[in-house]
Amino acid sequence: MTVDPLGTNDEFRTHVQAWLAEHVVGDYAELRGRGGPGDEDIGFDIRVAWEKELGAAGWIGLGWPESHGGRGASVAQQIIWAEEYTRAQAPARVNHMGENLLGPTLIEYGTAEQCARFLPSILDGNQRWCQGYSEPDAGSDLANVQTKAVLDGDEWVINGQKVWTSLAHVSHWCFVVVRTEVGSVRHKGLSFLLVAMDQPGVETRIIRQPTGGGEFNETFFTDARTDTSMMVGAPGEGWRVAMGLLGFERGISTLAQQVGFERELAAAMSLARAGASNEIPTVRQRLVRSYIGLQLMRWNALRSMSSGVPGPEASIGKLFWGTWHRDLGELMVDLQGATAMIGEAFPYELTLEQKLFLFTRSDTIYGGSNEIQRNVIGERVLGLPKEPS
Ligand SMILES: Cc1cc2nc3c(=O)[nH]c(=O)nc-3n(C[C@H](O)[C@H](O)[C@H](O)COP(=O)(O)OP(=O)(O)OC[C@H]3O[C@@H](n4cnc5c(N)ncnc54)[C@H](O)[C@@H]3O)c2cc1C
């Protein structure tokens, strides 16, 4: 019988609880429950320091294989970590893209050199990543990417514009989908490049969001450069790698998020108990529907995670949680009645509930809109005829 190095699930939970109790103190404790959706600007430097503490203690890449510097934690243990993390109200994380999207993608599609170069700095909390997929004319229609990369000796030279690049202004590297084959169209001729953000050819401009925060950016590449060894997959194989990464984005990476959802639902329950919304007859049903939805999400996530590398069926989860979370945002403000429409006092900072309501509008858009998820489910999971182009 093999012995799990992280111990039994109960032992692991006790260890996680003790570590968090000891470390979520001082500035980190001040940030309790902050830094989540719509609230990303809060305490960023403190959260960066926290990421390094997590890295030093081996809490980043918990589910990555040990051969790549992870801890090889089981799905159950990753859930325990996420549950206890949320329960301890530890600060919101700053490198979702590095740990949950790029890391697993490099492990699956990258070279040994790429893994050796990048995974350790993600694991120790020192390197943050952003995602350069969307462009002004390539959002849902990602295959329409126009940003180009041209070979110049040992380097790719990149020109074009990305948009909605979350946290690009605080990232060290970006994974970018570019067109490397002159005259190619659609999915063909695309490649997946790793590009350093700190260079003269890369400029980011923050886009202000309705929440007041500036989580995403326009990102301009003007003769930006990256070494040929920074391509994941072969030239022209970018679509395959990009889709593989989206599988991770729509799949396992939502685990921690669900525990955050649980906390938000608990906050909604408290608001309902406080009585502000007693006049709304459907509140009970909406709360119960939310609760049931959360259980369904959990079981669906467990089901899809136990079946290995996520495929198109990950879209089922994305469609479900995006819609669920948007509905919860609406419920949150409905529960507060008319007071939800006003700011408290100068300087009229929005409350967390108001920010949640505004930010959750975007849950049905990013990572692929609801309509696109339905297309994926119809065509690639159910095998229905393709949508007319
Ligand atoms: C908060 C947030 C963070 C984001 N972060 C990032 C990031 O870090 N990196 C990144 O690359 N991108 C990011 N995005 C961009 C996101 O992936 C795109 O917004 C999304 O893919 C939709 O693209 P679009 O905005 O161009 O809308 P469009 O593609 O123009 O779509 C407009 C509308 O048309 C619908 N539609 C489009 N095509 C079809 C179709 N074939 N069938 C039916 N309906 C259709 C859409 O569902 C949508 O309702 C982020 C977006 C948001 C909101």
Side-chain angles (χ1 to χ4, degrees):
M1 194 179 82
T2 55
V3 177
D4 192 327
L6 298 175
T8 64
N9 288 348
D10 286 346
E11 286 165 353
F12 181 66
R13 189 182 290 278
T14 308
H15 174 55
V16 169
Q17 284 170 342
W19 190 89
L20 288 167
E22 199 181 315
H23 289 84
V24 183
V25 291
D27 283 348
Y28 304 138
E30 296 276 310
L31 274 181
R32 275 180 199 284
R34 299 302 304 269
D39 195 35
E40 295 82 2
D41 298 336
I42 299 295
F44 196 79
D45 293 342
I46 297 170
R47 285 160 54 217
V48 166
W50 172 244
E51 191 72 10
K52 292 178 188 171
E53 286 229 18
L54 290 174
W59 294 118
I60 303 179
L62 203 55
W64 293 9
E66 285 168 279
S67 54
H68 286 93
R71 305 273 296 277
S74 64
V75 170
Q77 287 164 333
Q78 292 176 65
I79 292 173
I80 290 170
W81 163 251
E83 282 173 353
E84 294 305 329
Y85 191 91
T86 306
R87 205 159 286 149
Q89 297 203 19
R93 302 285 298 277
V94 291
N95 194 24
H96 166 68
M97 310 257 185
E99 183 189 13
N100 300 312
L101 308 191
L102 184 77
T105 303
L106 285 185
I107 292 169
E108 186 69 22
Y109 303 98
T111 61
E113 291 72 30
Q114 288 164 348
C115 289
R117 168 151 186 195
F118 293 113
L119 298 184
S121 356
I122 296 173
L123 287 170
D124 66 18
N126 278 304
Q127 190 181 77
R128 293 183 298 279
W129 285 80
C130 59
Q131 176 178 32
Y133 276 29
S134 305
E135 298 183 1
D137 288 320
S140 303
D141 190 14
L142 186 60
N144 195 37
V145 158
Q146 299 300 325
T147 296
K148 290 184 178 51
V150 176
L151 206 51
D152 178 24
D154 287 342
E155 290 182 327
W156 291 101
V157 181
I158 305 146
N159 280 286
Q161 186 201 337
K162 297 290 173 178
V163 72
W164 319 124
T165 330
S166 294
L167 303 177
H169 57 299
V170 288
S171 292
H172 303 100
W173 284 78
C174 185
F175 45 91
V176 192
V177 179
V178 291
R179 197 164 287 286
T180 46
E181 215 174 289
V182 180
S184 64
V185 289
R186 310 299 301 160
H187 316 81
K188 302 217 168 79
L190 296 175
S191 300
F192 192 100
L193 282 178
L194 311 176
V195 182
M197 295 296 280
D198 184 17
Q199 58 168 307
V202 180
E203 187 198 342
T204 58
R205 289 185 207 154
I206 288 180
I207 303 171
R208 202 49 63 191
Q209 289 163 305
T211 50
E215 180 259 2
F216 55 29
N217 296 262
E218 293 178 289
T219 308
F220 298 89
F221 297 94
T222 312
D223 290 333
R225 288 179 171 262
T226 200
D227 195 83
T228 46
S229 62
M230 294 294 110
M231 183 173 284
V232 183
E237 270 186 13
W239 187 256
R240 187 174 70 92
V241 180
M243 289 303 108
L245 182 138
L246 282 185
F248 293 116
E249 182 170 17
R250 294 167 185 170
I252 191 155
S253 77
T254 58
L255 198 63
Q257 181 192 38
Q258 283 184 29
V259 193
F261 290 171
E262 205 172 314
R263 191 165 67 200
E264 289 163 3
L265 180 58
M269 300 275 190
S270 301
L271 280 174
R273 283 197 193 95
S277 55
N278 280 346
E279 74 275 14
I280 308 174
T282 52
V283 157
R284 270 173 96 88
Q285 286 96 318
R286 288 169 71 189
L287 283 170
V288 171
R289 204 180 309 136
S290 267
Y291 176 81
I292 294 170
L294 198 56
Q295 311 311 311
L296 289 174
M297 261 186 271
R298 189 183 162 94
W299 291 114
N300 184 54
L302 286 173
R303 184 183 61 142
S304 42
M305 277 184 287
S306 51
S307 59
V309 177
E313 66 285 350
S315 289
I316 300 170
K318 168 68 187 39
L319 175 63
F320 194 87
W321 71 250
T323 311
W324 181 92
H325 204 210
R326 182 200 59 195
D327 291 351
L328 184 73
E330 286 177 11
L331 177 58
M332 209 72 146
V333 289
D334 283 348
L335 286 169
Q336 294 182 303
T339 54
M341 291 186 281
I342 49 172
E344 261 169 24
F346 186 79
Y348 302 110
E349 267 282 320
L350 297 180
T351 62
L352 283 178
E353 291 83 9
Q354 288 166 330
K355 284 185 182 178
L356 187 78
F357 166 69
L358 290 169
F359 191 86
T360 52
R361 314 308 293 174
S362 72
D363 283 326
T364 58
I365 301 171
Y366 68 82
S369 70
N370 273 13
E371 289 76 16
I372 295 307
Q373 306 303 338
R374 288 194 182 94
N375 284 346
V376 172
I377 295 167
E379 292 169 20
R380 296 178 52 206
V381 180
L382 300 176
L384 297 175
K386 276 186 92 60
E387 142 184 73
S389 52

